[in-house]
Amino acid sequence: MRHNFGAGPCILPQEVFRQASQAVLDFKDGLSILEISHRTPEFEAVLAEAVKLVKELLNVPEGYSVLFLQGGASLQFAMVPMNLLSEGQTATYLETGVWANKAIKEVKNFGTANVVASSKDANFNYVPKGYSIPEDSAYFHCTSNNTIYGTEMFSLPETKVPVVCDMSSDIMSRVIDVSQYDLIYAGSQKNIGPAGSVLVIVKDEILGKTTNKIPSMLDYKVHIEGGSMYNTPPVFAIYVAMLNLRWLKSKGGVAEIEKENIAKANALYMEIDRNPLFKGTAVVEDRSRMNICFVMENPELEKPFLKFVEENDVEGLKGHRSVGGFRASIYNALPITSVHRLVELMQVFAEKHPK
Amino acid sequence: MRHNFGAGPCILPQEVFRQASQAVLDFKDGLSILEISHRTPEFEAVLAEAVKLVKELLNVPEGYSVLFLQGGASLQFAMVPMNLLSEGQTATYLETGVWANKAIKEVKNFGTANVVASSKDANFNYVPKGYSIPEDSAYFHCTSNNTIYGTEMFSLPETKVPVVCDMSSDIMSRVIDVSQYDLIYAGSQKNIGPAGSVLVIVKDEILGKTTNKIPSMLDYKVHIEGGSMYNTPPVFAIYVAMLNLRWLKSKGGVAEIEKENIAKANALYMEIDRNPLFKGTAVVEDRSRMNICFVMENPELEKPFLKFVEENDVEGLKGHRSVGGFRASIYNALPITSVHRLVELMQVFAEKHPK
């Protein structure tokens, strides 16, 4: 068995792979999921179930629309200001890493981004706090989990302006109060499904106020009216997302998986803190439960350790080049047994390399 | 065996389904194609092979870039003027159906669309000819095949302005001279692969001249620099496209499949013209080889005929509501045996319903 700690696209449940594989051969009456029209009642039912599962699993209140679109979070970086900002307006952004920074850069074509706080000074190893958001901001934008640096934002600042959040890497991993947000987006390829779609949850009443001219495909209202089928949707990506959300529901939903995720993260952080060879890179209070970043006290041991775990069926543990060391991505579908296996390998390696 | 005449997403080769199904279970060392990083050497090889196959199969000259993007042809409707038009400029469009019309509508945010000719007067049952393209146009845009109406454009008008073509439904079905075009785009879900990606072939020298501010994800130059990996690409859609292009190459390439497509189209049009119950809807000289639209002389027989063929394993033959009757989409992967089966059913039905 392989232990896939890759940051994304990432592990999904084995039973989802089996069901998806079967549907590529025969989804309905001998036809593949890849050859059916998106206008068939069968695919319309898939999309409807995926949307219903998102609403159910996240307890989405009335007045919000749930969309499956294309272009990933990166296209959302532009769609957000295009739909929510007007010329001369300012939006407030929290800079917590490379992805937040990319979102900030896309604002310039539509208005001004005010970076209210940044953790750039410490290579983004913490989430800034104690800032205040100007009341005349068109919206406040934040990134709930920073995959590269292993930090996560567990609470929102007090504000009256609309809150927009890039939840690409921790959505569906913990209970959130959707009513605190006005727009949530998340590239699918972590806890939702495979690469090729992006989930958007948007409060209807914030739309339609901009003076920008918006191309149809970039207009949330057009996609809401079209029920995510303004054009041909990414059929297979949505189908697999639906299977994966079904799996999450069968596991007891987000509250249950959150307990499991806390147990997984605690097991690994405990070992990082206990084992004299390793140390975490993010400040303790902002440690992510999805992406656990750590290095070795002796950098010369990093290559041998990586080789050692890879020889033992561990995949994707290499850290991002901007942090170095290791990153264990422990998304919903990663079993706790994989975490325990990694902990064991850290211990075995430490025995072989006494400090 | 089912005969899938659906207009898209549509039939792909059975061996592509088998290979794709297997890769969902085990693409590499026990890992699914859905859980590997797009930055692995294995996926980089897939993308490189897909690009190489496009260049080889279409004989793409030097100086062109080949991209796999997201958002379908519908996002291209906006990306084309965003990248190629500047404020105050005019682009010339040929209106040959609903999709051309949607492309025209997206120009308004960036400049002016001059509709040089239209077949709207005859419900788009022909392709206009004999118009001349103003030399001061930023570009000329046409749609090479009109799925809904069953018309196809087999030659381009003489012009010195850049030519942009939406080839979504006939790319890879016949030999084209790419050097006659400056930008070709095609939603994948006909002859390239499953829904979820769009192919773009663009002459590099036409880019970088607009005064428009372009969001990164909508800028062809950004995607060229990123090698279609500026952000996480739709991994599975590109993988299956690669498999399908490999299949096309193994069949002898585009020239060989074109012969087969001509044989398939001729067999069906011959029966439509011969059988007194049926008649074609497109003018003969503009008849599409991909989407064959026909009605019945007696409209009251259409429901019974559709029921009859559906009982005989024929899928997706119902015509688009704006034309009515029937539409047989006979893309590359549809075997000629399916066409012969349909012809046979038309003959059997005619025997039961003498005129």
Side-chain angles (χ1 to χ4, degrees):
Chain A
M1 187 201 156
R2 314 286 290 196
H3 306 284
N4 185 0
F5 289 92
C10 68
I11 191 169
L12 293 171
Q14 293 298 319
E15 66 184 84
V16 168
F17 293 146
R18 282 193 294 271
Q19 291 164 350
S21 172
Q22 176 56 29
V24 170
L25 292 178
D26 183 359
F27 169 67
K28 169 224 157 195
D29 298 342
L31 294 180
S32 166
I33 184 75
L34 305 182
E35 68 177 314
I36 59 152
S37 166
H38 57 294
R39 297 287 178 194
T40 50
E42 289 78 10
F43 180 71
E44 286 182 349
V46 166
L47 178 56
E49 185 174 345
V51 168
K52 188 167 166 278
L53 283 164
V54 170
K55 288 185 177 176
E56 204 177 318
L57 289 164
L58 293 179
N59 200 13
V60 178
E62 287 294 308
Y64 285 76
S65 294
V66 172
L67 301 170
F68 283 92
L69 306 179
Q70 289 187 67
S74 294
L75 188 53
Q76 294 305 309
F77 297 163
M79 278 178 71
V80 164
M82 197 180 276
N83 281 268
L84 301 184
L85 208 55
S86 295
E87 215 182 314
Q89 285 190 320
T90 295
T92 297
Y93 277 70
L94 183 64
E95 190 184 38
T96 52
V98 161
W99 297 105
N101 198 265
K102 287 195 175 191
I104 289 163
K105 279 187 183 150
E106 297 300 328
V107 178
K108 67 174 188 296
N109 294 342
F110 310 99
T112 307
N114 160 40
V115 178
V116 69
S118 173
S119 46
K120 199 174 181 176
D121 57 332
N123 198 27
F124 302 116
N125 74 350
Y126 69 101
V127 176
K129 291 165 203 80
Y131 50 89
S132 65
I133 298 162
E135 286 190 13
D136 62 348
S137 299
Y139 59 85
F140 167 68
H141 180 285
C142 57
T143 314
S144 58
N145 185 71
N146 302 284
T147 44
I148 295 177
Y149 318 93
T151 64
E152 195 167 1
M153 191 175 168
F154 294 103
S155 66
L156 282 176
E158 293 270 323
T159 179
K160 282 173 184 166
V161 313
V163 173
V164 177
C165 185
D166 175 358
M167 279 193 199
S168 293
S169 51
D170 67 350
I171 196 162
M172 300 286 171
S173 75
R174 59 185 171 97
V175 175
I176 55 164
D177 177 358
V178 173
S179 73
Q180 291 188 318
Y181 302 86
D182 296 81
L183 195 154
I184 293 168
Y185 61 89
S188 287
Q189 63 271 14
K190 318 282 184 188
N191 283 328
I192 298 170
S197 83
V198 54
L199 175 69
V200 175
I201 303 170
V202 57
K203 195 172 190 174
D204 300 327
E205 68 177 41
I206 68 166
L207 301 175
K209 295 175 183 168
T210 179
T211 55
N212 289 331
K213 294 172 182 174
I214 312 176
S216 304
M217 275 294 287
L218 305 172
D219 188 338
Y220 294 119
K221 292 182 72 163
V222 168
H223 291 293
I224 291 170
E225 280 160 29
S228 294
M229 296 242 263
Y230 171 73
N231 73 332
T232 309
V235 171
F236 184 74
I238 293 173
Y239 175 68
V240 182
M242 185 278 286
L243 293 176
N244 186 51
L245 296 171
R246 260 191 203 165
W247 169 85
L248 179 54
K249 186 180 169 184
S250 77
K251 299 282 281 184
V254 176
E256 284 305 309
I257 210 86
E258 181 174 9
K259 288 183 201 162
E260 186 88 352
N261 287 332
I262 290 172
K264 280 157 36 182
N266 284 350
L268 191 45
Y269 281 124
M270 270 174 58
E271 180 61 19
I272 290 167
D273 293 340
R274 188 203 64 77
N275 191 318
L277 261 54
F278 300 93
K279 63 177 175 186
T281 57
V283 304
V284 172
E285 65 176 9
D286 298 327
R287 279 175 164 181
S288 168
R289 293 176 193 152
M290 291 288 105
N291 311 95
I292 296 186
C293 296
F294 56 104
V295 294
M296 295 186 86
E297 296 282 358
N298 176 2
E300 287 182 6
L301 285 178
E302 291 189 348
K303 269 193 177 175
F305 178 69
L306 191 64
K307 187 163 175 285
F308 172 68
V309 298
E310 285 177 352
E311 284 166 358
N312 283 280
D313 292 331
V314 166
E315 286 278 333
L317 198 70
K318 195 169 192 297
H320 191 274
R321 64 184 177 282
S322 59
V323 178
F326 311 100
R327 170 173 53 176
S329 297
I330 55 172
Y331 299 116
N332 286 355
L334 187 95
I336 196 162
T337 48
S338 288
V339 174
H340 288 147
R341 178 66 177 148
L342 177 59
V343 166
E344 188 191 346
L345 292 171
M346 291 163 79
Q347 293 171 350
V348 171
F349 192 84
E351 280 165 24
K352 289 183 186 170
H353 298 83
K355 218 185 167 182
Chain B
M1 188 199 158
R2 312 286 291 196
H3 307 285
N4 184 0
F5 290 91
C10 67
I11 190 169
L12 293 171
Q14 293 298 318
E15 66 184 83
V16 168
F17 292 146
R18 281 192 295 271
Q19 291 164 351
S21 172
Q22 177 55 31
V24 171
L25 291 178
D26 182 359
F27 168 68
K28 171 224 156 195
D29 299 341
L31 293 180
S32 166
I33 184 73
L34 306 184
E35 68 177 312
I36 58 153
S37 167
H38 56 295
R39 298 285 178 197
T40 51
E42 289 80 9
F43 180 72
E44 285 182 350
V46 166
L47 178 56
E49 184 174 347
V51 169
K52 186 164 167 280
L53 283 164
V54 170
K55 288 184 176 174
E56 204 177 320
L57 289 164
L58 293 178
N59 199 14
V60 178
E62 287 294 306
Y64 286 76
S65 294
V66 172
L67 303 171
F68 283 91
L69 306 179
Q70 291 187 68
S74 294
L75 188 54
Q76 295 303 309
F77 297 163
M79 279 177 71
V80 164
M82 196 180 275
N83 282 268
L84 301 184
L85 209 55
S86 294
E87 214 182 316
Q89 285 189 322
T90 295
T92 297
Y93 277 71
L94 183 63
E95 190 185 37
T96 52
V98 160
W99 297 105
N101 197 265
K102 287 195 176 192
I104 291 163
K105 280 187 183 151
E106 297 300 329
V107 178
K108 68 173 187 295
N109 295 343
F110 310 100
T112 305
N114 160 39
V115 178
V116 69
S118 173
S119 47
K120 198 174 181 178
D121 57 333
N123 197 29
F124 302 115
N125 74 349
Y126 69 99
V127 177
K129 291 164 203 80
Y131 49 89
S132 66
I133 298 161
E135 286 190 15
D136 61 350
S137 299
Y139 59 85
F140 167 67
H141 180 284
C142 57
T143 315
S144 58
N145 186 72
N146 301 283
T147 43
I148 294 177
Y149 319 93
T151 64
E152 194 167 0
M153 191 174 167
F154 295 103
S155 67
L156 281 176
E158 293 270 324
T159 180
K160 283 174 184 161
V161 312
V163 173
V164 177
C165 186
D166 175 358
M167 279 194 200
S168 294
S169 51
D170 67 350
I171 196 160
M172 301 285 170
S173 74
R174 58 186 172 94
V175 174
I176 55 165
D177 177 359
V178 173
S179 73
Q180 291 189 317
Y181 302 85
D182 296 80
L183 194 155
I184 293 168
Y185 62 89
S188 288
Q189 63 271 17
K190 319 281 185 190
N191 283 328
I192 298 169
S197 81
V198 54
L199 175 69
V200 175
I201 304 171
V202 58
K203 195 171 190 173
D204 300 328
E205 67 177 41
I206 68 167
L207 300 176
K209 295 174 182 169
T210 181
T211 55
N212 288 331
K213 294 173 182 173
I214 312 176
S216 305
M217 275 293 288
L218 304 173
D219 189 337
Y220 293 120
K221 293 181 72 165
V222 168
H223 291 293
I224 291 170
E225 281 160 28
S228 295
M229 295 240 264
Y230 171 71
N231 72 330
T232 310
V235 172
F236 184 74
I238 293 173
Y239 175 68
V240 181
M242 186 278 284
L243 293 177
N244 186 50
L245 296 170
R246 259 190 203 167
W247 170 86
L248 179 54
K249 187 178 170 186
S250 78
K251 297 283 282 185
V254 175
E256 284 305 310
I257 208 87
E258 181 175 11
K259 289 183 200 162
E260 186 89 351
N261 287 332
I262 290 172
K264 278 157 39 181
N266 284 350
L268 191 47
Y269 281 125
M270 269 174 59
E271 180 62 18
I272 290 167
D273 293 341
R274 190 203 64 76
N275 191 318
L277 260 53
F278 300 94
K279 62 177 178 187
T281 56
V283 305
V284 172
E285 67 177 9
D286 298 327
R287 279 176 163 178
S288 168
R289 293 176 192 152
M290 291 288 104
N291 311 94
I292 297 188
C293 296
F294 56 105
V295 294
M296 294 187 89
E297 295 284 358
N298 177 1
E300 287 182 5
L301 285 177
E302 292 187 348
K303 270 195 176 170
F305 177 69
L306 191 65
K307 187 163 175 282
F308 172 68
V309 298
E310 286 178 352
E311 284 166 0
N312 283 279
D313 292 331
V314 166
E315 286 277 332
L317 199 69
K318 197 169 193 293
H320 190 274
R321 63 184 180 280
S322 59
V323 177
F326 311 101
R327 170 172 53 176
S329 298
I330 56 173
Y331 299 116
N332 286 356
L334 187 94
I336 195 162
T337 48
S338 289
V339 174
H340 288 147
R341 179 65 177 149
L342 177 59
V343 167
E344 189 192 345
L345 293 171
M346 291 164 79
Q347 292 170 352
V348 171
F349 192 83
E351 280 166 25
K352 289 184 186 169
H353 298 84
K355 216 186 169 184

